[in-house]
Amino acid sequence: MAHFCELDENNVVQRVIVVANKDTSDANGNEVESIGVAFCQKLFGGNWKQTSYNGNIRKNYAGIGYVYDSVIDAFVPPKPYPSWVLDTNTAQWKPPVPMPSDGAMYSWDEATQSWISTAGSLTV
């Protein structure tokens, strides 16, 4: 099975579908993206890109609201905070300050641009 996503006019993922191998393969049984794209367009119209559930292509599995960045050929998740920057090698957002690695639980505080321990705020 192969996964394809439909993009809107701004390259934002609108939906992700599963397509049978027979509908993405050439005469020799090799998976070819353009065949899968043509199949999706025939059924639904629109602009389609292949995505990989295990991240083998385009860095991240596409989700609704992700943006396809053609420069880095990747699906980029929504930006979690204004101060975070995109790592173009992984297509993941990175905080301006690394999260502490002491094993404690933290949440990002955008106002102070720092990590705040959540250990005291957990309730059971």
Side-chain angles (χ1 to χ4, degrees):
M1 303 305 256
H3 296 86
F4 287 81
C5 61
E6 183 177 22
L7 306 175
D8 71 8
E9 63 279 356
N10 297 310
N11 284 336
V12 177
V13 176
Q14 300 301 296
R15 62 178 158 171
V16 181
I17 64 170
V18 178
V19 178
N21 291 342
K22 69 179 182 63
D23 297 316
T24 64
S25 300
D26 64 15
N28 297 320
N30 300 311
E31 186 176 284
V32 179
E33 180 177 13
S34 61
I35 294 172
V37 166
F39 176 80
C40 293
Q41 288 174 330
K42 182 178 178 183
L43 286 178
F44 306 110
N47 181 22
W48 294 84
K49 288 282 183 193
Q50 188 170 8
T51 186
S52 171
Y53 190 73
N54 57 16
N56 284 343
I57 60 171
R58 301 199 168 99
K59 297 180 174 63
N60 298 303
Y61 181 68
I64 293 172
Y66 280 45
V67 175
Y68 173 67
D69 184 322
S70 62
V71 174
I72 60 173
D73 190 28
F75 292 107
V76 178
K79 189 174 187 176
Y81 299 98
S83 66
W84 289 31
V85 296
L86 184 64
D87 178 338
T88 57
N89 292 319
T90 64
Q92 293 291 318
W93 296 102
K94 301 293 180 190
V97 176
M99 185 171 69
S101 58
D102 59 8
M105 295 182 66
Y106 292 90
S107 64
W108 179 253
D109 181 33
E110 183 66 11
T112 62
Q113 294 198 7
S114 63
W115 292 100
I116 306 297
S117 174
T118 58
S121 64
L122 294 178
T123 57
V124 179

